[in-house]
Amino acid sequence: MPDDRAGHILDSALTVFRQYGYAKTTMQDIARAAGMSRAALYLHFAGKEELFRAGSRRAHSRALGLVNASLAEEGDVLSRIDTAIAAYFTELTAQISSSAHGGELFDATHTITEDIVGEARTALVARLTVALEEAAEAGEVRFAAVDTTAEDLALLLLSVMDGLKNTSADPAVRHERRTLFLRLTRAALTSPGETGG
């Protein structure tokens, strides 16, 4: 299937899922939104679950692309990681969270596409780990200062950033707490008198 046709179908499906939720959406609804017959839609996707998984895979691929772009920017590693993680979660949640059926769609994402979510998260941790290792090699951060590894720190940073969204409904409060955590982490990793590694 040509990429533009697949993209059109997945865009149409996202619109319908946001409007009706996962459970109530039918292949007929998606076909209608895509401007095609249900039979033609079935030539591209075997069913609603396959279509939902394809949409999730595309969303996670786009989110990882934003991570790559953020990590390639100039600036200190923790600022780039902060931007990368924010971009990742924004890409994955912005359209769904604005739907009245957001909770149901998030639940569907975690059940129907658990493997896709897990693969993407593993890829995200790997990218953050490489960025931290490169920063350590450049002498920007010192893992010996806190007796950790780049991968462990990447997992911690991701867990904290992910968890902070549950601490307050106010984005300003979440941003303030994230900034504080990064400031503490930066201070620990750049403490003087330690050797790199």
Side-chain angles (χ1 to χ4, degrees):
M1 171 174 39
D3 288 344
D4 56 345
R5 190 60 169 157
H8 173 68
I9 293 171
L10 293 177
D11 289 340
S12 300
L14 177 59
T15 299
V16 177
F17 284 132
R18 290 180 69 240
Q19 184 175 0
Y20 299 120
Y22 181 80
K24 290 187 178 178
T25 292
T26 66
M27 290 293 274
Q28 179 62 49
D29 295 328
I30 295 169
R32 187 180 306 112
M36 62 197 312
S37 70
R38 189 173 64 168
L41 178 59
Y42 275 111
L43 292 176
H44 300 297
F45 293 98
K48 181 171 67 170
E49 181 174 318
E50 181 183 313
L51 206 155
F52 192 81
R53 285 177 58 79
S56 177
R57 193 172 296 284
R58 181 179 71 159
H60 282 86
S61 177
R62 287 178 172 176
L64 288 170
L66 293 175
V67 168
N68 292 340
S70 297
L71 293 177
E73 293 290 327
E74 296 294 323
D76 71 277
V77 68
L78 291 178
S79 295
R80 289 184 287 123
I81 284 176
D82 181 31
T83 301
I85 293 174
Y88 181 83
F89 286 117
T90 299
E91 176 67 19
L92 293 177
T93 63
Q95 294 189 44
I96 292 177
S97 61
S98 63
S99 165
H101 302 281
E104 180 197 355
L105 293 173
F106 282 123
D107 288 344
T109 296
H110 290 295
T111 55
I112 297 168
T113 68
E114 182 180 13
D115 59 325
I116 295 169
V117 173
E119 289 167 11
R121 194 171 183 94
T122 298
L124 174 58
V125 170
R127 286 161 169 77
L128 301 181
T129 299
V130 169
L132 287 165
E133 288 172 342
E134 290 173 350
E137 289 172 9
E140 181 184 341
V141 294
R142 300 174 179 87
F143 298 129
V146 288
D147 191 25
T148 192
T149 66
E151 183 178 14
D152 285 343
L153 182 57
L155 287 165
L156 176 63
L157 289 168
L158 181 56
S159 296
V160 170
M161 304 292 190
D162 189 21
L164 280 175
K165 69 178 182 283
N166 300 317
T167 65
S168 173
D170 185 346
V173 171
R174 293 194 306 268
H175 176 74
E176 183 179 319
R177 290 172 179 166
R178 190 173 79 235
T179 301
L180 171 60
F181 177 72
L182 288 171
R183 193 163 63 243
L184 293 170
T185 303
R186 185 177 288 109
L189 293 176
T190 58
S191 61
E194 298 285 353
T195 58

